[in-house]
RNA sequence: CGGGGUGUAGCGCAGCUUGGUUAGCGCGCCACGUUCGGGACGUGGAGGUCGGAGGUUCGAAUCCUCUCACCCCGACCA
């Protein structure tokens, strides 16, 4: 039993000024957490109870799936991360430190290396596999900008699992098992989620999906097709295939287009003059082909220019480009770069000047919408001139295609062609097939049935535990405070005394609290003296325990009020029936 | 890292433009009394290196310089 008269808790009447998002605001205000460091939080009693319930559910589902829990240090030596290249590749987000002998250490942002090494140390036969092991561990990332309270901290708790298999089929099975386990885990946590296709990014590997809680304050953008259910992170969205009607296009024509530095000004200019107007309809921004040049900086430091052609009604989405060209990093083309390529006329770059066989020799990749038979208005490689009716396949060819254009609300689904909608989400889980990157780097091999050495293939699976607490708060609150799902609430019932300190309510409530406890019901008991009823009700709503029991004026008739925090529904019932009622609520949850 | 904003009691804020009593208000906290089903009231209290350092001045929360921290937008980010 938690007695509020002695509980280490102070609720705040006002929102803390440094908290913006609801989870941060409410968790601080209701006395669950306190900021302790930039990107670091202290868990207070109510918060820690809730946190542990979340952690226990995650652990329980892992164990039910047959995964085994281990625990590594958060403080690790440099060497394993040197072997996989991540000591340098991870960049400034890695917390690095030195011991007294000046040896390099790090605070682990994730533990692929350590898991790989410990399996290599202990296992050496295909008979030992498959194996999935996990830990629930504090992780450290020196985020440039921690924000939104628990949602993006520099210290946070993550459940990370790793699977080890001899072949791709085994990896797929381990991946599927984790996927199923994540589904049951998030269901139990009461977290809404969407499973989206994702990019594996810097981690390497192939198949990858994210579990996103669809909440506006989330940092990830995803698209979802309401028709067929396809969902993907915008980084991973594929452009729908375009069918090209076979029509005879006019010959490509160079036209004067002075002072048309932007797509809008170009379209306006074309539509204004008789000579350039279309006969069938006005020109539109997506008739134009915009060519953007970037530099790719490869991990070894070499720089390669890359030209990207996309429909003019869209911008280049650098995140999407980055996901495509990883591990290389795209950077903007500078004026100095343009000077090195005199064939490129800034603002009027056309496909004829691009491509590995062109004068510039710059690799030219186009949006998947730019396919053979499509006609475009694009730069003529001369200042103040554009070309109309430049047909892909007839007048120019590209070196390939790239998913680089921004995704727009309503874009057709690549699976079924129906319009897709965009939304924001909080990444609460990520599963992906790592493959053999780490096993190769760290020499994790086992003997197969034929006695041959084979490199193990791995999967990596994460759930943000502390972030999940915040995500639940984000999805379970209203204007009055938190409304926890039963499974993670800090108590089963919040028992409130509403009456004079020396009235009959107090002894009745004490008796009821004892009865709850005997029945195995966790009770948060507001037994404070000298606190007015309004304060008690406000605090109960703020704290968010799913059921609130009020022992008030009805007690003279033997009645207490049972209130549902979420719906606000109140029911008076005889005090003798309450315990059975709550027990039934818990059983049905 | 770029742009913007804010640092004054546990929380929320005023005071700063135009330097000058003992730095103020609400909430919270302590004591006493009243009140007791929707953040009650009265009386009396405790609590501050005004983010930090340096400077200008007879005198700095207030003006100047530097610095640190936090928040927002962007960049970055398993």
């Amino acid at each position: 039993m938690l007695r509020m008269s002695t509980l280490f808790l102070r609720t705040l009447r006002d929102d803390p000024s440094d908290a913006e998002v609801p989870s941060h605001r409410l968790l601080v205000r209701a006395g669950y957490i306190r900021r302790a460091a930039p990107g670091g939080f202290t868990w207070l009693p109510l918060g820690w109870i809730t946190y542990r319930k979340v952690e226990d559910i995650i652990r329980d589902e892992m164990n039910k799936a047959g995964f085994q829990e281990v625990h590594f240090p958060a403080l690790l030596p440099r060497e394993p991360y040197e072997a996989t290249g991540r000591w340098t590749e991870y960049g400034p987000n890695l917390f690095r430190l030195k011991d007294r002998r000046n040896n390099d250490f790090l605070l682990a942002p994730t533990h692929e290396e350590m898991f790989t090494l410990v399996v290599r140390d202990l296992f050496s036969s295909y008979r030992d596999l498959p194996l999935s092991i996990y830990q629930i561990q504090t992780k450290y990332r020196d985020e440039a900008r921690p924000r939104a309270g628990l949602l993006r901290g520099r210290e946070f708790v993550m459940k990370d699992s790793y699977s080890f298999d001899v072949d791709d089929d085994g990896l797929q099975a381990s991946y599927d098992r984790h996927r199923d386990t994540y589904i049951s885990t998030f269901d139990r946590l009461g977290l809404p989620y969407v499973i989206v296709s994702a990019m594996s990014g810097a981690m390497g590997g192939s198949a990858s999906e994210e579990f996103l809680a669809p909440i506006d304050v989330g940092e990830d953008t995803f698209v979802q097709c309401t028709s067929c259910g396809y969902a993907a992170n915008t980084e991973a969205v594929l452009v729908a295939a375009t069918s090209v009607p076979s029509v005879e296009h006019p010959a490509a024509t160079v036209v004067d287009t002075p002072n048309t530095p932007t797509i809008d000004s170009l379209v306006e200019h074309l539509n204004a003059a008789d000579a350039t107007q279309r006969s069938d309809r006005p020109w539109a921004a997506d008739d134009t082909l915009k060519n953007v040049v970037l530099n790719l900086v490869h991990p070894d430091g070499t720089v390669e220019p890359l030209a990207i052609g996309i429909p003019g009604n869209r911008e280049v989405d650098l995140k999407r480009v980055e996901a495509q060209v990883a591990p290389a990093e795209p950077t903007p083309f500078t004026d100095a770069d343009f000077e090195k390529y005199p064939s490129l006329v800034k603002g009027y770059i056309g496909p004829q000047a691009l491509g590995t066989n062109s004068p510039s020799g710059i690799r030219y990749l186009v949006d998947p919408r730019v396919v053979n038979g499509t006609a475009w208005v694009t730069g003529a490689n001369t200042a103040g001139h554009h070309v109309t009716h430049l047909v892909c396949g007839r007048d120019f060819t590209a070196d390939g295609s790239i998913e680089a254009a921004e995704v727009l609300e309503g874009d057709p689904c690549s699976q079924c062609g129906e319009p897709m909608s965009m939304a924001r989400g909080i990444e609460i889980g990520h599963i992906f097939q790592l493959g053999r990157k780490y096993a190769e780097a760290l020499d994790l091999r086992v003997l197969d049935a034929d006695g041959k050495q084979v490199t193990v293939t791995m999967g990596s699976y994460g759930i943000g535990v502390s972030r999940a607490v915040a995500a639940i708060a984000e999805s379970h609150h209203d204007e009055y405070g938190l409304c926890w799902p039963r499974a993670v609430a800090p108590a089963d019932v919040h028992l409130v005394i509403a009456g004079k300190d020396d009235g009959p309510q107090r002894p009745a409530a004490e008796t009821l609290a004892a009865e709850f406890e005997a029945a195995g019901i966790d009770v948060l008991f507001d037994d404070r003296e000298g606190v007015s009823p309004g304060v008690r009700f406000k605090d109960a709503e703020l704290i968010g325990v799913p059921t609130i029991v009020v022992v008030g004026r009805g007690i003279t008739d033997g009645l207490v009020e049972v209130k549902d925090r979420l719906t606000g529904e109140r029911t008076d019932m005889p005090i003798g029936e309450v315990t059975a009622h709550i027990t039934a609520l818990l059983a049905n949850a």
Side-chain angles (χ1 to χ4, degrees):
Chain A
M1 185 188 315
L2 298 169
R3 285 182 179 269
M4 286 180 72
S5 57
T6 53
L7 187 63
F8 185 47
L9 168 75
R10 180 112 299 143
T11 58
L12 306 178
R13 185 184 293 243
D14 300 306
D15 284 333
S17 65
D18 61 352
E20 195 73 13
V21 301
S23 62
H24 187 193
R25 224 177 57 224
L26 292 171
L27 288 171
V28 171
R29 197 146 90 81
Y32 284 71
I33 59 171
R34 296 288 294 177
R35 196 191 83 91
F41 287 84
T42 304
W43 295 94
L44 299 174
L46 288 181
W48 191 238
I49 291 168
T50 303
Y51 166 82
R52 283 209 322 267
K53 291 198 172 188
V54 170
E55 189 185 295
D56 285 346
I57 287 172
I58 293 169
R59 176 179 287 113
D60 187 50
E61 289 297 318
M62 287 287 129
N63 292 343
K64 276 204 285 198
F67 309 149
Q68 298 167 63
E69 185 169 10
V70 298
H71 199 78
F72 288 92
L75 178 67
L76 297 173
R78 170 176 175 167
E79 288 71 28
Y81 287 76
E82 191 69 68
T84 54
R86 289 212 295 179
W87 175 261
T88 43
E89 266 177 34
Y90 217 95
N93 268 28
L94 188 65
F95 267 110
R96 299 147 210 270
L97 56 158
K98 287 180 182 293
D99 71 1
R100 64 171 74 198
R101 283 185 289 250
N102 212 36
N103 293 320
D104 285 314
F105 280 79
L106 60 91
L107 293 172
T110 171
H111 281 77
E112 279 79 3
E113 285 82 355
M114 304 312 290
F115 273 84
T116 308
L117 286 172
V118 79
V119 173
R120 187 190 74 180
D121 284 349
L122 296 174
F123 278 9
S124 52
S125 162
Y126 76 99
R127 289 164 169 269
D128 295 322
L129 304 182
L131 171 72
S132 284
I133 49 181
Y134 74 96
Q135 68 171 342
I136 294 172
Q137 171 60 287
T138 306
K139 307 287 186 183
Y140 297 87
R141 290 183 197 170
D142 191 358
E143 295 283 350
R145 180 153 87 86
R147 73 184 102 175
L150 253 29
L151 285 175
R152 174 170 294 277
R154 300 206 291 177
E155 177 183 287
F156 57 97
V157 178
M158 180 157 93
K159 186 290 302 172
D160 52 329
S161 330
Y162 303 86
S163 67
F164 302 85
D165 285 278
V166 278
D167 54 31
D168 293 348
D169 287 348
L171 171 57
Q172 186 63 46
S174 294
Y175 180 89
D176 291 343
R177 174 100 69 81
H178 272 91
R179 194 176 192 276
D180 292 343
T181 301
Y182 276 29
I183 288 171
S184 50
T185 301
F186 292 127
D187 284 346
R188 269 182 76 184
L189 289 175
L191 258 176
Y193 58 88
V194 179
I195 304 175
V196 307
S197 304
M199 302 298 293
S200 39
M203 303 298 299
S206 49
S208 167
E209 289 172 293
E210 288 170 339
F211 287 70
L212 299 182
I215 292 159
D216 288 343
V217 300
E219 295 184 286
D220 288 82
T221 309
F222 68 100
V223 297
Q224 195 169 19
C225 175
T226 47
S227 177
C228 75
Y230 170 77
N233 193 302
T234 50
E235 290 172 22
V237 177
L238 301 177
V239 169
T242 29
S243 60
V244 184
S246 70
V247 290
E248 203 60 29
H249 292 287
T253 313
V254 176
V255 295
D256 270 358
T257 53
N259 302 317
T260 55
T262 65
I263 294 290
D264 284 347
S265 59
L266 171 62
V267 169
E268 195 178 327
H269 180 90
L270 291 174
N271 285 326
D274 289 344
T276 51
Q277 276 174 0
R278 284 182 74 111
S279 53
D280 51 348
R281 59 171 173 83
W283 293 101
D286 59 0
D287 291 320
T288 67
L289 179 63
K290 176 159 63 181
N291 296 297
V292 177
V293 191
L294 302 169
N295 274 324
L296 297 186
V297 182
H298 292 281
D300 61 5
T302 58
V303 176
E304 178 206 353
L306 174 70
I308 295 174
I310 59 168
N313 62 325
R314 290 166 196 268
E315 298 298 325
V316 168
D317 183 334
L318 270 182
K319 282 189 165 187
R320 300 197 72 211
V321 174
E322 199 173 340
Q324 306 289 317
V325 301
E329 209 168 299
T331 59
F333 219 58
T334 63
D335 287 342
D337 292 317
F338 272 105
E339 282 173 23
K340 288 184 227 157
Y341 295 93
S343 59
L344 301 184
V345 183
K346 198 177 170 186
Y348 299 91
I349 301 171
Q352 300 90 338
L354 302 169
T356 45
N357 295 323
S358 75
S360 71
I362 295 175
R363 193 153 62 102
Y364 182 44
L365 302 177
V366 294
D367 187 88
R369 279 165 283 240
V370 183
V371 293
N372 283 348
T374 52
W376 302 91
V377 179
T378 187
N381 299 304
T382 317
H385 292 81
H386 282 85
V387 191
T388 58
H389 309 298
L390 196 75
V391 177
C392 181
R394 183 186 77 180
D395 303 317
F396 72 96
T397 53
D399 297 315
S401 72
I402 184 170
E403 295 279 356
E406 65 180 329
V407 178
L408 299 175
E409 173 83 30
D411 278 351
C413 171
S414 62
Q415 308 297 304
C416 72
E418 293 299 309
M420 299 186 296
S421 60
M422 294 181 79
R424 306 268 287 176
I426 298 170
E427 182 182 355
I428 48 176
H430 194 167
I431 54 177
F432 59 97
Q433 302 187 5
L434 274 181
R436 298 185 170 81
K437 172 178 172 176
Y438 291 90
E440 266 162 19
L442 298 167
D443 202 26
L444 170 59
R445 288 180 294 170
V446 295
L447 287 177
D448 70 8
D450 301 325
K452 287 189 303 191
Q453 295 272 358
V454 294
T455 301
V456 168
T457 184
M458 296 169 56
S460 162
Y461 318 90
I463 293 178
V465 184
S466 44
R467 177 182 281 183
V469 175
I472 295 169
E474 287 292 341
S475 55
H476 295 80
H477 71 272
D478 59 20
E479 57 184 306
Y480 305 110
L482 298 158
C483 315
W484 295 108
R486 247 181 221 299
V488 302
D492 298 320
V493 292
H494 188 133
L495 179 59
V496 171
I497 300 172
K500 294 187 182 184
D501 285 339
D502 57 357
Q505 288 86 0
R506 178 164 291 270
E510 284 285 355
T511 307
L512 187 55
E515 206 180 302
F516 284 156
E517 199 166 38
I521 298 166
D522 286 333
V523 53
L524 173 61
F525 184 18
D526 190 350
D527 62 338
R528 294 174 294 180
E529 293 191 5
V531 176
S532 70
V535 171
R536 298 179 197 270
F537 293 140
K538 292 288 185 195
D539 276 347
E541 277 151 3
L542 185 58
I543 289 167
V545 172
T547 302
I548 299 164
V549 174
V550 182
V551 181
R553 58 193 168 202
I555 198 64
T556 48
D557 300 320
L559 295 176
V560 298
E561 178 182 292
V562 177
K563 180 178 170 183
D564 185 278
R565 171 64 184 89
L566 189 61
T567 64
E569 188 188 340
R570 306 177 187 190
T571 319
D572 282 329
M573 67 177 62
I575 193 166
E577 296 174 14
V578 178
T579 303
H581 177 74
I582 304 288
T583 303
L585 283 181
L586 296 180
N588 293 334

